Amino acid sequence: MLVALEMDYYSEGYRTMHSNCVDLPMAGAAGFHQYENYFYYTFLYAVMMNWGEAADGDWVASRRSILNKLGLTLKVTEVLDAAGLLSAIRMNIDQQCPVVMIANYNDLFFLSQYRTVVDDHAVLITEYDSARRLIVIRENQLNKEVTLNVMKGEPFFKLQLTEELIADIWNKSNASFKEIRNYCYNKLFSVAKIGEPEVHSYLELVEDFVESNKNRSSHLIEAVERFNDNVSLMEGLNDANAIAVEFETMRRSYHGSAIIMFDIFEKALPWLSSHEEWGQIFGGFRDRYIKFRYHLISSFHADTLRRKLLPPDRILQLTVEISQLDTELFSLLRKLLTHHHKERESHNAAQAWTNYAACAEVSADSEYSLDPETVCQASQAVNGRWENWVTDSWHSDTARPVHWLLLDLLKQRDILRVVIRHSPAPGYITMDYELQGSNDTEQWEQIAAVRNNESVLTVHEADGCSFRYIRLYITYPAQNDFQARIYELEVWGLPDITQASKI
């Protein structure tokens, strides 16, 4: 029997040059529980590498500190042998917990370049087929060169392995972990939901970043101050490739992480792309900040190869420059956030909309049941959350190719906009549907018709049409099967008091 967890491939995510090949799969596991968690995790990890208190601390505790902010935790399962490994994989997936298995690169056979590298790597496990004795992993290094010029991120492509191959990889890696990676020895990791998240949006993420880190010392400054000691430690390391690996790690920590952070700043403040003045200020500073770090780490790499030490005045100059750039970063973000809130307050005062769906009575043609106590009810499509598909979305049954979701707004409403949040997983996004309105559930008027949809979020302007009932009529539920999946249906209009004042 095949048991599979639906998750995005994250082709619009990041690459290992920005983070690393263990924490990106960790971010993917977090993203299973809510799509944006992938981006929240990578941002919080980038912040930890630059300012966080846990950057050099306990590996498990530091990842848990990030995941806890997302309402998640890092589960650690003790595994003693291959049978226990396979049992733990199946148990976690059955419990809706994606598995992160850490292995040595040189114990992985499916990419030739892995056999020459001795370092940690992680694969994400999201499916198993007990009948065929197969395990499906998500590996973001497959076709890396092919995707480089066509995709922003490194997608988590699927790869089927036999249970024997998975066990062989784990056994070989685990033997070395006993000596060099004790936190991985006899361990299997998974990501589970434990509560409500502290972070609900990119904006909240950036606001918390500014407030929590503005007075913290930069780890990059510490790296500058340790530079001469590190050069001395590498005196006996004559392998230029080994030195390059060390600086690749440093480049990810301080340069790649900065690329991630500025990407999230733009997600939090999307108006920057259309605001000429603020957009130029932000873009100019972003380029200056990132280029400074790139050139700094490149010069460190070159100086290390030459065994060239930094004089004290140069160390002081660099620490001052880093501190000044960080001060400028936090100052600019505070100004941008202040401008954002002023503009939002002005907009809300001029046009305060309400979501009628939040109080609607909801029905559907069918509801998918995992078991008698777990049903993906129609009412979950209007609960204001879209974090967990089991509790925060409506899923239809799989027996029919046509489905509908009906909202009774309790009385006739003037509708301005309808927003639909579909499944975030490729292959399961709603393809063809009609958005309809009625005042008697017999005569239906078309508000919008969509064919070949590829968007997770679709927005339809309704131009003030007046209906009591809204129906989402789905004729092509998904590319991969006949099941409809709607995570949220929002129906927006002016509140009753605003409409009354216009009469």
Side-chain angles (χ1 to χ4, degrees), residues 88-99:
I89 289 172
R90 291 191 289 265
M91 176 192 70
N92 277 286
I93 292 177
D94 288 342
Q95 295 174 353
Q96 300 290 299
C97 300
V99 173

Side-chain angles (χ1 to χ4, degrees), residues 67-344:
L67 291 168
N68 287 169
K69 290 179 180 290
L70 310 179
L72 307 171
T73 192
L74 184 64
K75 287 174 55 182
V76 181
T77 305
E78 292 286 335
V79 176
L80 300 179
D81 53 30
L85 171 75
L86 298 172
S87 176
I89 289 172
R90 291 191 289 265
M91 176 192 70
N92 277 286
I93 292 177
D94 288 342
Q95 295 174 353
Q96 300 290 299
C97 300
V99 173
V100 178
M101 187 179 81
I102 300 180
N104 275 330
Y105 268 118
N106 60 354
D107 294 324
L108 300 170
F109 65 89
F110 44 81
L111 287 175
S112 59
Q113 62 266 34
Y114 283 3
R115 303 305 298 270
T116 60
V117 180
V118 181
D119 203 355
D120 293 348
H121 183 68
V123 295
L124 187 56
I125 303 177
T126 57
E127 302 177 26
Y128 73 86
D129 188 333
S130 54
R132 300 169 64 196
R133 297 183 59 78
L134 294 175
I135 302 291
V136 177
I137 69 170
R138 301 287 192 113
E139 170 60 63
N140 65 342
Q141 299 298 288
L142 294 174
N143 302 316
K144 182 177 180 178
E145 292 76 14
V146 176
T147 62
L148 181 61
N149 296 318
V150 295
M151 294 181 182
K152 177 183 175 184
E154 292 168 351
F156 290 104
F157 289 125
K158 293 182 180 182
L159 181 64
Q160 287 187 346
L161 301 179
T162 64
E163 292 180 351
E164 290 77 10
L165 287 172
I166 285 287
D168 183 60
I169 291 169
W170 182 81
N171 278 326
K172 290 177 179 177
S173 298
N174 196 51
S176 63
F177 289 154
K178 185 175 182 179
E179 303 297 330
I180 61 172
R181 297 284 189 275
N182 190 256
Y183 65 86
C184 293
Y185 180 62
N186 285 351
K187 305 288 194 307
L188 189 70
F189 303 99
S190 60
V191 175
K193 186 171 178 60
I194 56 171
E196 294 302 312
E198 298 175 22
V199 177
H200 301 89
S201 68
Y202 293 111
L203 185 65
E204 284 186 17
L205 194 67
V206 174
E207 288 177 326
D208 180 70
F209 163 74
V210 172
E211 185 62 30
S212 302
N213 297 281
K214 60 185 177 183
N215 296 320
R216 289 183 178 174
S217 177
S218 168
H219 295 312
L220 181 56
I221 289 178
E222 296 169 7
V224 170
E225 293 172 340
R226 294 194 307 265
F227 177 76
N228 288 344
D229 292 337
N230 289 338
V231 171
S232 299
L233 289 172
M234 291 186 186
E235 283 289 346
L237 194 62
N238 296 317
D239 185 350
N241 289 330
I243 294 175
V245 169
E246 292 294 324
F247 278 95
E248 180 59 29
T249 300
M250 188 177 185
R251 194 178 299 281
R252 288 170 177 165
S253 298
Y254 303 121
H255 173 255
S257 64
I259 293 173
I260 290 175
M261 288 189 290
F262 277 93
D263 183 62
I264 297 300
F265 298 154
E266 292 182 76
K267 288 182 184 294
L269 304 167
W271 50 268
L272 281 169
S273 60
S274 59
H275 195 294
E276 184 175 357
E277 181 181 358
W278 280 115
Q280 289 179 352
I281 293 172
F282 175 83
F285 177 75
R286 175 196 60 211
D287 294 345
R288 183 157 52 90
Y289 190 95
I290 291 173
K291 285 179 181 178
F292 171 83
R293 289 177 168 230
Y294 178 85
H295 291 305
L296 174 63
I297 296 164
S298 296
S299 69
F300 278 4
H301 188 182
D303 287 346
T304 300
L305 290 172
R306 300 185 187 105
R307 304 298 192 260
K308 180 181 177 182
L309 301 180
L310 292 178
D313 59 339
R314 177 59 175 159
I315 292 176
L316 178 60
Q317 178 191 358
L318 289 173
T319 58
V320 169
E321 288 184 35
I322 294 167
S323 180
Q324 287 176 341
L325 280 169
D326 283 352
T327 299
E328 193 173 345
L329 169 65
F330 287 104
S331 175
L332 175 59
L333 287 174
R334 283 194 293 271
K335 291 176 181 177
L336 290 170
L337 290 169
T338 298
H339 176 81
H340 175 84
H341 288 299
K342 285 182 178 179
E343 289 294 314
R344 188 169 66 177

Side-chain angles (χ1 to χ4, degrees), residues 350-418:
Q351 195 172 57
W353 290 9
T354 189
N355 179 16
Y356 297 131
C359 299
E361 295 179 356
V362 192
S363 58
D365 70 288
S366 60
E367 295 175 328
Y368 176 67
S369 176
L370 286 171
D371 55 61
E373 297 182 357
T374 309
V375 180
C376 297
Q377 300 175 1
S379 59
Q380 293 176 179
V382 298
N383 67 1
R385 303 187 305 271
W386 43 92
E387 300 162 6
N388 186 311
W389 75 272
V390 176
T391 59
D392 300 330
S393 71
W394 164 64
H395 281 42
S396 73
D397 62 22
T398 59
R400 289 160 286 183
V402 175
H403 302 285
W404 53 263
L405 181 69
L406 176 65
L407 271 58
D408 180 355
L409 306 180
L410 306 182
K411 67 178 183 179
Q412 193 168 329
R413 310 279 192 176
D414 292 340
I415 300 166
L416 299 173
R417 179 178 298 158
V418 178

